[in-house]
Amino acid sequence: MKHFITLADLPHFDQTLDLAMVLKKNPSQWDGLGKGKTLGLLFFNPSLRTRLSTQKAAQNLGLHTMVMNFSQESWALEFEDGTKMSGLRSEHVKEAAAVVSQYCDMIAIRAFASLSDKEKDEAEIVLRSFAKYASVPIINMESATAHPLQALADAITIKEYQTPHKPKVVLSWAPHPKALPHAVGNSFTQMMGHMDADFIITHPEGYALNPEITKGVEITTDQEKALEGADFVYTKNWCSYDHYGQILKTDDQWMITPKKMQLTNNGKFMHCLPIRRNIVAADGVLDSPNSLVIQQSKNRIYSAQAVLKQLLENG
């Protein structure tokens, strides 16, 4: 594994999941692996869980960390090649990536979708440019189209609460006051391809995810039917893909409520956080003993640590 940009970069998904479970039981057992090495964390967008969990994961392996908020603390970067840089952008990613590579042994990056240009977002210009011009591994801490560290943490959580039978897992769209990216929904869908489960996606008309990612997955616009007998309910908003970046529906009809959770098989509720209470899910759902959102956030440490460990061992 040279970089970790999507789940497909993992050489063995199941082995990575097992490693994360081992690390959770004893986080410090490889605390000398990163001695003398530094992980740089570059944030083009805000973060709470991702920043803290990745730093914690690095510390568990003996890594030093350096953090920079590019939106506030750095020169504005240019990503286009051959551009005459006469505007506001003062530094090209060619130099920036090369320079940071001299200071850090690995670089983790968080850069959200613009939601204004689907082709550019799907090109993953920030992540791919750093991977092209850096001389060290690049780690995705959420990009325009993917959030693989979150998906790996979700897999840990599902495995920890696994049912005695083949579980039914539902990914349900939920309302939100502003347009959100597809990254979490995409990576969760890709992750479920590695799990032994019955997986179904439910969303209103017009909110299909990228059909290349959901190919072969059962999809319905009947949320309540999808929730029937579910063992895990993962809720997340995303904007329209066909009408990219747009909000087509804003009412609370699709909010997850205690009444809807009664349709499930005593189902566990999951969300990546942050979550808007009583918009995405009701207080009664989030405060229920069946809510796993805090457990998911803890597992972000071990998903990151499993990835970092493998990159360190690869030199």
Side-chain angles (χ1 to χ4, degrees), residues 15-237:
Q15 290 180 19
T16 301
L17 184 55
D18 290 341
L19 172 60
M21 303 287 283
V22 169
L23 288 165
K24 186 169 184 178
K25 291 178 181 177
N26 186 1
S28 61
Q29 62 180 306
W30 286 288
D31 61 359
L33 187 62
K35 183 178 181 181
K37 295 184 181 295
T38 299
L39 170 66
L41 295 98
L42 310 184
F43 290 91
F44 291 82
N45 297 98
S47 176
L48 190 157
R49 278 149 296 278
T50 296
R51 175 170 176 168
L52 297 180
S53 64
T54 307
Q55 284 186 279
K56 179 69 172 178
Q59 292 165 3
N60 286 344
L61 293 169
L63 282 159
H64 297 292
T65 58
M66 299 171 68
V67 182
M68 189 167 199
N69 294 307
F70 260 72
S71 60
Q72 301 171 350
E73 300 172 342
S74 171
W75 304 112
L77 292 187
E78 176 60 64
F79 291 93
E80 297 291 336
D81 288 335
T83 300
K84 183 177 180 180
M85 294 173 56
S86 58
L88 296 176
R89 297 180 178 181
S90 305
E91 182 156 15
H92 200 283
V93 67
K94 287 184 178 182
E95 287 76 46
V99 167
V100 178
S101 297
Q102 296 180 99
Y103 307 148
C104 303
D105 300 278
M106 293 183 284
I107 303 170
I109 299 172
R110 184 175 179 89
F112 291 171
S114 68
L115 297 184
S116 60
D117 188 322
K118 181 161 65 175
E119 288 187 5
K120 281 191 174 182
D121 284 347
E122 291 187 334
E124 295 285 12
I125 291 173
V126 177
L127 268 290
R128 298 296 177 185
S129 294
F130 270 89
K132 180 178 180 179
Y133 296 118
S135 57
V136 298
I138 300 300
I139 300 157
N140 185 352
M141 295 192 297
E142 187 173 1
S143 65
T145 65
H147 199 351
L149 288 176
Q150 178 65 54
L152 187 53
D154 298 333
I156 299 168
T157 308
I158 291 173
K159 188 169 183 177
E160 285 181 319
Y161 291 88
Q162 60 187 342
T163 57
H165 56 271
K166 186 177 182 179
K168 178 180 179 181
V169 181
V170 177
L171 171 62
S172 176
W173 181 94
H176 199 278
K178 67 177 185 178
L180 294 183
H182 300 85
V184 171
N186 287 345
S187 289
F188 187 82
T189 299
Q190 291 167 329
M191 178 273 289
M192 287 305 304
H194 296 277
M195 305 292 280
D196 184 21
D198 293 323
F199 179 51
I200 183 170
I201 299 174
T202 183
H203 57 71
E205 292 286 351
Y207 276 103
L209 291 165
N210 184 342
E212 290 298 314
I213 291 174
T214 60
K215 187 182 297 183
V217 176
E218 182 180 355
I219 301 171
T220 179
T221 56
D222 188 335
Q223 186 190 44
E224 293 194 359
K225 184 178 179 181
L227 293 174
E228 290 177 359
D231 298 290
F232 297 90
V233 177
Y234 198 105
T235 306
K236 186 70 178 75
N237 174 270

